[in-house]
Amino acid sequence: MAKFYLRRELLSFGVWHYHAMNTMEQILTSAEAGKRLNLSSERVRQLERMGQLHAIRTTNGIRLFTASAVEEFRRRRQQHRETR
């Protein structure tokens, strides 16, 4: 598993945004990933537990998702829907 060094930046109203260091990859929280996939954050966490969506775990257990992993999952889900 690749290691990511994350920098946490405080936005407004106590909202944190994570940036992967040494890479241009965008990092998303489960809520942000859910918005991109039109799913709840709980469903995103469930998909991660099932191994269908890869997450990076911070030392305190927060799941973070790369934008490319979310996009790949979205493509696979769309292909699955089209083949039914």
Side-chain angles (χ1 to χ4, degrees), residues 9 30 49 59 76:
E9 176 183 314
S30 57
R49 284 192 301 270
T59 54
R76 285 193 324 261

Side-chain angles (χ1 to χ4, degrees), residues 8-20:
R8 196 167 74 158
E9 176 183 314
L10 182 61
L11 301 178
S12 60
F13 305 107
V15 176
W16 290 95
H17 185 74
Y18 293 88
H19 299 278

Side-chain angles (χ1 to χ4, degrees), residues 38-68:
N38 199 25
L39 299 171
S40 69
S41 57
E42 179 55 39
R43 179 66 176 144
V44 170
R45 288 189 294 272
Q46 185 182 44
L47 290 167
E48 187 270 334
R49 284 192 301 270
M50 294 167 50
Q52 294 183 19
L53 186 57
H54 178 72
I56 303 161
R57 290 286 189 121
T58 64
T59 54
N60 59 352
I62 296 173
R63 293 174 180 91
L64 299 174
F65 302 86
T66 61
S68 59

Side-chain angles (χ1 to χ4, degrees), residues 66-77:
T66 61
S68 59
V70 171
E71 181 60 25
E72 176 61 29
F73 176 80
R74 189 194 62 73
R75 277 195 300 267
R76 285 193 324 261
R77 186 172 69 160

